[in-house]
């Protein structure tokens, strides 16, 4: 019995030494990833067992041959334990990280949904209140002169168009998020799509004295669905014009690099705060109040325009990025070529 207690004490002392060293190492690496923590924990456990066995073997005064057999056996067991534990430890670490990322993504989506409801409620309430007031004024004949009546009719049409665009954006976004968007890809001349978008955006740009500059040549042909690509270009152009101060410039260019085409829209908006850059394509994100479009900017989009751009570009198998320039920002779209 005394010998067994002595063996237990020797093994315990050796294992405790390794365990304390491992605990100190884990404390020093507490800010590292979960994969590092699992690797250190697994290595500490296996090494503690191996050291305990070797310490007992040394204390038992085994013959050199028997000691060699014990050491080989412990080494083989340690290698297998580390290999199996490392493999499944990495899987557990990836699963834990994925769950954390999924929870964080779910929280972000839920916050995005709440923000979306708040923005849409605000953007619908304002035109609806104006429509009701003007309709009641016309119904009660508060306004009678033809000029004012015509103005009220024009404003009702404009507000109706604004709500129609908002509903269209919501429908498009719901199709993207639900995975119900099916694209029919064809060879689309990018120059023609940009020309149509420029013609649509020109009245708003002209009213704000903003210069639209487009390259005269070098427009590639891309593999895309023309209606969705037209919406991408129109949304990006409208976004650039909305946030560019008067007398500014919006430049649109395109080109081809190896197996993909690129389209860039650069404005002179003064730039986006670095903290906001990763959130530019989030649903209902508008950033600081200075970047929130007003009633005279061509119609608010509920913060959906860039989110729709992101979804449509990804549905094409492409990508869209944004970066700050010296006096504004640049949106870059990359798509496959024909």
């Amino acid at each position: 019995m005394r010998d067994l207690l002595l063996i237990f004490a020797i093994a315990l002392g050796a294992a405790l030494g390794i365990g304390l060293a491992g605990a100190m190492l884990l404390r020093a690496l507490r800010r590292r990833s979960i994969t590092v923590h699992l690797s250190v924990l697994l290595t500490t456990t296996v090494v503690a067992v191996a050291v305990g066995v070797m310490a007992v073997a040394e204390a038992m005064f085994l013959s050199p041959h028997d000691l060699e057999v014990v050491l080989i056996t412990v080494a083989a067991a340690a290698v297998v334990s580390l290999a199996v534990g490392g493999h499944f430890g990495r899987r557990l670490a990836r699963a834990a990280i994925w769950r954390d990322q999924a929870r964080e993504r779910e929280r972000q989506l839920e916050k995005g949904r709440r923000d979306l409801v708040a923005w849409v409620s605000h953007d619908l309430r304002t035109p609806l209140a104006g429509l009701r007031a003007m309709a009641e004024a016309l119904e009660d004949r508060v306004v009678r002169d033809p000029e004012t009546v015509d103005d009220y009719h024009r404003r009702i049409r404009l507000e109706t168009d604004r709500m129609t665009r908002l509903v269209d954006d919501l429908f498009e976004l719901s199709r993207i998020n639900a995975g119900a968007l099916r694209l029919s890809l064809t060879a689309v001349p990018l120059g023609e799509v940009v020309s149509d978008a420029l013609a649509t955006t020109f009245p708003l740009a002209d009213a704000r004295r903003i210069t639209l500059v487009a390259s005269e040549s070098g427009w590639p042909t891309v593999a895309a669905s023309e209606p969705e690509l037209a919406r991408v270009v129109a949304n990006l152009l409208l976004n650039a014009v909305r946030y560019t101060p008067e007398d500014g410039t919006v430049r649109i260019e395109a080109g081809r690099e190896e197996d993909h085409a690129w389209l860039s829209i650069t404005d002179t908006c003064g730039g986006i705060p670095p903290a906001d850059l990763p959130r530019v394509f989030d649903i209902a994100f508008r950033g600081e109040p200075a970047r929130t479009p007003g009633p005279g900017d061509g119609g608010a989009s509920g913060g959906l325009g860039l989110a729709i751009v992101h979804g449509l570009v990804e549905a094409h198998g492409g990508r869209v990025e944004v970066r700050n320039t010296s006096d504004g920002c640049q949106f870059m779209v990359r798509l496959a070529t024909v």
Side-chain angles (χ1 to χ4, degrees), residues 146-181:
E147 184 177 347
T148 305
V149 171
D150 289 343
D151 180 62
Y152 273 34
H153 286 153
R154 181 185 62 82
R155 290 165 61 184
I156 288 174
R157 180 182 57 79
L158 291 175
E159 293 296 348
T160 303
D161 290 344
R162 178 183 177 188
M163 288 195 297
T164 301
R165 285 194 296 271
L166 183 57
V167 172
D168 288 343
D169 285 347
L170 287 170
F171 176 72
E172 190 73 26
L173 195 62
S174 67
R175 287 205 304 158
I176 294 171
N177 291 337
L181 185 63

Side-chain angles (χ1 to χ4, degrees):
M1 185 66 180
R2 181 178 179 181
D3 291 340
L4 293 177
L5 291 175
L6 179 60
I7 291 173
F8 176 76
I10 293 174
L12 181 63
L16 278 177
I18 300 299
L20 289 174
M24 294 174 63
L25 184 58
L26 283 172
R27 182 177 178 82
L29 299 175
R30 60 184 178 276
R31 297 184 183 277
R32 302 296 294 274
S33 67
I34 187 173
T35 303
V36 173
H37 284 198
L38 284 174
S39 299
V40 173
L41 182 61
L42 177 63
T43 303
T44 300
T45 303
V46 173
V47 171
V49 173
V51 170
V53 171
M54 288 187 291
V56 172
E58 287 285 351
M60 291 174 64
F61 301 103
L62 298 178
S63 66
H65 177 268
D66 292 343
L67 181 60
E68 184 178 352
V69 170
V70 171
L71 294 179
I72 292 175
T73 303
V74 170
V79 169
V80 173
S81 299
L82 287 173
V84 174
H87 173 70
F88 287 100
R90 284 193 296 270
R91 292 182 59 180
L92 289 173
R94 286 196 295 267
I97 293 172
W98 180 85
R99 283 194 296 269
D100 288 342
Q101 291 176 342
R103 283 194 293 267
E104 179 62 27
R105 180 60 179 167
E106 185 176 352
R107 284 193 292 268
Q108 291 177 355
L109 288 175
E110 181 60 29
K111 183 179 182 300
R113 283 191 289 267
R114 290 196 300 268
D115 292 343
L116 175 60
V117 171
W119 282 117
V120 171
S121 298
H122 174 271
D123 287 343
L124 286 176
R125 187 183 299 113
T126 302
L128 284 173
L131 288 171
R132 181 182 180 86
M134 287 183 287
E136 289 179 348
L138 292 171
E139 184 180 10
D140 297 339
R141 299 186 181 277
V142 175
V143 292
R144 292 176 176 272
D145 60 288
E147 184 177 347
T148 305
V149 171
D150 289 343
D151 180 62
Y152 273 34
H153 286 153
R154 181 185 62 82
R155 290 165 61 184
I156 288 174
R157 180 182 57 79
L158 291 175
E159 293 296 348
T160 303
D161 290 344
R162 178 183 177 188
M163 288 195 297
T164 301
R165 285 194 296 271
L166 183 57
V167 172
D168 288 343
D169 285 347
L170 287 170
F171 176 72
E172 190 73 26
L173 195 62
S174 67
R175 287 205 304 158
I176 294 171
N177 291 337
L181 185 63
R182 298 292 182 267
L183 301 180
S184 177
L185 302 184
T186 59
V188 179
L190 189 55
E192 295 181 7
V193 175
V194 170
S195 178
D196 293 341
L198 286 171
T200 303
T201 313
F202 178 78
L204 177 62
D206 186 59
R208 296 171 59 88
R209 300 197 302 275
I210 293 172
T211 304
L212 300 177
V213 180
S215 301
E216 296 182 359
S217 60
W219 299 98
T221 298
V222 298
S225 173
E226 187 169 354
E228 282 73 19
L229 180 59
R231 185 155 198 167
V232 167
V233 177
N235 281 10
L236 288 175
L237 267 176
L238 187 58
N239 179 78
V241 171
R242 281 175 177 169
Y243 296 128
T244 298
E246 292 186 357
D247 300 317
T249 301
V250 173
R251 183 180 301 274
I252 181 167
E253 301 171 301
R256 182 168 181 165
E257 293 179 358
E258 298 180 355
D259 60 342
H260 71 271
W262 57 268
L263 170 74
S264 74
I265 297 179
T266 309
D267 58 42
T268 53
C269 67
I272 301 172
D276 287 347
L277 280 174
R279 302 181 57 199
V280 164
F281 298 105
D282 289 355
I283 296 175
F285 179 73
R286 284 174 171 170
E288 60 189 37
R291 290 186 58 81
T292 300
D297 64 354
S301 63
L304 307 181
L306 293 181
I308 291 173
V309 167
H310 185 267
L312 292 179
V313 171
E314 286 198 337
H316 280 85
R319 68 180 189 272
V320 58
E321 305 163 344
V322 60
R323 68 179 184 89
N324 282 328
T325 59
S326 58
D327 56 353
C329 60
Q330 180 187 62
F331 287 84
M332 179 75 72
V333 176
R334 301 184 190 275
L335 297 170
T337 56
V338 178

